[in-house]
Amino acid sequence: MSDTRFSKPLIYMLIGSALILALSLGVRHAFGLYLVPMSHEFGWGHNVFSLAIAMQNLVWGAVQPITGAFADKYGSKIVVAVGGALYSLGLLLMAFSSTGLLLNLSVGLILGLALSATSFPVLLSAVGRAAHPDKRSLAMGIASAAGSFGQFIMLPSTLLLLQNIGWSAALVVSSILIALIIPLAWMLKAPMYVAPHTSAHSNKASLSFKQILVIVKNHQPFWFLALGFFVCGFQVVFIGIHLPGYLIDHGFNATTGTIFLALVGLFNIVGTYSAGWLGGKYSKPHLLMWLYGLRGITIITFLLLPLSVWTVYAFGVIMGLLWLSTVPLTNGIVANMFGVKYLSMLSGLIFFTHQIGSFFGGWLGGVNHDMTGNYNAVWMFSIALSLLGVLVHFFVNEEAVIHD
């Protein structure tokens, strides 16, 4: 029986990945708290900030396959370090963005590029390459779960900064914290796992990027999986960006929305770890069907119940369990289908569809609110997408196209 324990270099990488994800996703998770104060100060409708966030997600997704290809070829360390520097720069520019153009440059373009290098596709792919195949899903789940703790910590911290020093100074502080990603990137140096019987001159190693893309292009289960990830992106960005504003519209203060997002981050730790553990024991496509179905049921229940702080917090707990549980399962399926040699690029490709969904979730939420004063249409669309998320995973399997 092969030894499937985590090696010391992999444990070191898991710690580094968790810290980087905690910073990167923690700061991003709090962006929704800036919508109201920035919009009020500059007299913007919700659509201005929403469009910048939507552009961020679109840029992030569009360049993710390219960033992933660089990480596959040159290693994750340099890509993550450059991403950390861009992230810090983008937050500084956001702190002085008084026009929609500057907001789109900082939040949309620069932070979109930075997130492509400092988020799940690059970091989980690095972890996946270093882990034994039997422990790959669990390792990805651990990195995702530990990274989620940053989302829990950064939200109340950001709210305190906003209340005490204002939104612009809060962004400067966040920029300084994000700069820590640059030295942390050098913890990402665990070697790729190679099975004892595997030849260094396998056929898989000789495949070019172009050949891999041709194989992917003709593999229908991959594109059904991508369509499911579109659903995920739409829902999490719509809720993450617009729920604080939705609550303010209904008479709640900013603290309620912050606690909601913090609960999402906290229970996301449990959800992503559990998804990674379950993904090593059960069918990942079947688990994804359950996740999307439960999301739809949760949204319907939230909208039907009388709105109170307790229903808001319960919604945060349940959505947190379902929030990014899709990520280790989806990336694990991609790894099982195509192996790990080009995992960053292929995870980036499928992540692009996630970010197209994120674009529409962020942007349409703002458009719906500015046109009608509410979010009703987008809530209904989110519920319909949950059904789509269940259906498409009927056509997804984990059959290996390219073997490790």
Side-chain angles (χ1 to χ4, degrees):
M1 182 179 292
S2 60
D3 186 2
T4 61
R5 292 174 298 179
F6 291 161
S7 65
K8 287 184 178 179
L10 176 56
I11 293 172
Y12 191 65
M13 175 179 276
L14 281 171
I15 294 170
S17 298
L19 291 172
I20 292 166
L21 287 170
L23 288 167
S24 177
L25 299 181
V27 168
R28 179 185 175 271
H29 194 57
F31 280 169
L33 301 181
Y34 292 95
L35 185 153
V36 172
M38 292 186 72
S39 297
H40 282 177
E41 180 161 337
F42 299 114
W44 299 334
H46 284 202
N47 184 50
V48 175
F49 191 92
S50 298
L51 180 60
I53 292 292
M55 288 301 299
Q56 175 192 106
N57 285 293
L58 196 60
V59 169
W60 180 2
V63 301
Q64 188 67 72
I66 301 169
T67 306
F70 273 104
D72 287 333
K73 187 171 183 179
Y74 300 109
S76 301
K77 289 184 295 185
I78 186 65
V79 169
V80 173
V82 171
L86 279 174
Y87 204 148
S88 187
L89 174 64
L91 289 170
L92 280 176
L93 184 57
M94 182 181 173
F96 300 99
S97 294
S98 58
T99 67
L101 180 62
L102 280 175
L103 195 68
N104 276 285
L105 176 62
S106 59
V107 177
L109 179 60
I110 297 176
L111 291 182
L113 291 170
L115 284 162
S116 75
T118 59
S119 56
F120 285 124
V122 169
L123 288 154
L124 292 194
S125 296
V127 169
R129 275 191 292 268
H132 187 284
D134 291 345
K135 293 293 184 180
R136 185 178 294 146
S137 181
L138 178 59
M140 289 180 173
I142 290 172
S144 301
S148 299
F149 187 68
Q151 299 180 9
F152 171 66
I153 291 296
M154 286 305 300
L155 278 154
S157 302
T158 300
L159 181 62
L160 285 173
L161 290 172
L162 286 167
Q163 291 173 338
N164 289 284
I165 62 176
W167 65 266
S168 185
L171 286 167
V172 173
V173 173
S174 296
S175 174
I176 295 169
L177 285 174
I178 284 294
L180 294 173
I181 288 176
I182 300 170
L184 286 171
W186 264 256
M187 296 179 73
L188 309 176
K189 55 184 181 181
M192 184 171 76
Y193 174 82
V194 178
H197 61 275
T198 301
S199 168
H201 303 287
S202 64
N203 291 332
K204 182 185 69 172
S206 66
L207 292 174
S208 67
F209 284 124
K210 184 176 179 180
Q211 289 171 316
I212 291 288
L213 289 175
V214 169
I215 293 171
V216 170
K217 178 183 175 182
N218 297 313
H219 190 61
Q220 288 187 350
F222 179 87
W223 297 109
F224 282 115
L225 185 65
L227 187 56
F229 228 24
F230 171 93
V231 174
C232 180
F234 187 100
Q235 292 176 331
V236 299
V237 170
F238 166 62
I239 294 172
I241 294 299
H242 292 288
L243 195 83
Y246 172 82
L247 294 175
I248 289 172
D249 287 348
H250 286 80
F252 296 89
N253 58 31
T255 301
T256 306
T258 303
I259 294 174
F260 165 81
L261 292 174
L263 287 170
V264 169
L266 180 62
F267 283 88
N268 189 34
I269 298 169
V270 180
T272 48
Y273 176 82
S274 300
W277 179 76
L278 290 169
K281 296 179 175 293
Y282 303 103
S283 164
K284 296 180 188 66
H286 290 169
L287 290 170
L288 286 167
M289 289 168 63
W290 276 102
L291 282 171
Y292 286 113
L294 288 171
R295 276 193 191 179
I297 293 169
T298 301
I299 293 171
I300 291 170
T301 304
F302 173 66
L303 295 176
L304 290 178
L305 289 173
L307 195 59
S308 70
V309 290
W310 300 113
T311 58
V312 170
Y313 297 160
F315 186 50
V317 169
I318 298 171
M319 285 304 299
L321 294 172
L322 307 171
W323 194 250
L324 294 179
S325 301
T326 59
V327 174
L329 296 174
T330 300
N331 284 348
I333 292 172
V334 175
N336 288 347
M337 286 177 173
F338 301 104
V340 297
K341 183 174 176 60
Y342 301 110
L343 184 55
S344 295
M345 180 184 69
L346 295 180
S347 292
L349 184 61
I350 206 165
F351 187 71
F352 183 34
T353 61
H354 183 283
Q355 295 308 94
I356 294 173
S358 298
F359 172 87
F360 285 110
W363 177 55
L364 290 178
V367 171
N368 185 197
H369 187 275
D370 286 350
M371 290 179 66
T372 66
N374 60 56
Y375 293 103
N376 293 346
V378 183
W379 279 121
M380 295 304 105
F381 190 56
S382 295
I383 293 168
L385 285 178
S386 286
L387 179 59
L388 177 65
V390 173
L391 293 175
V392 296
H393 287 95
F394 274 114
F395 305 100
V396 176
N397 59 63
E398 300 183 69
E399 182 180 348
V401 181
I402 301 172
H403 294 273
D404 281 332

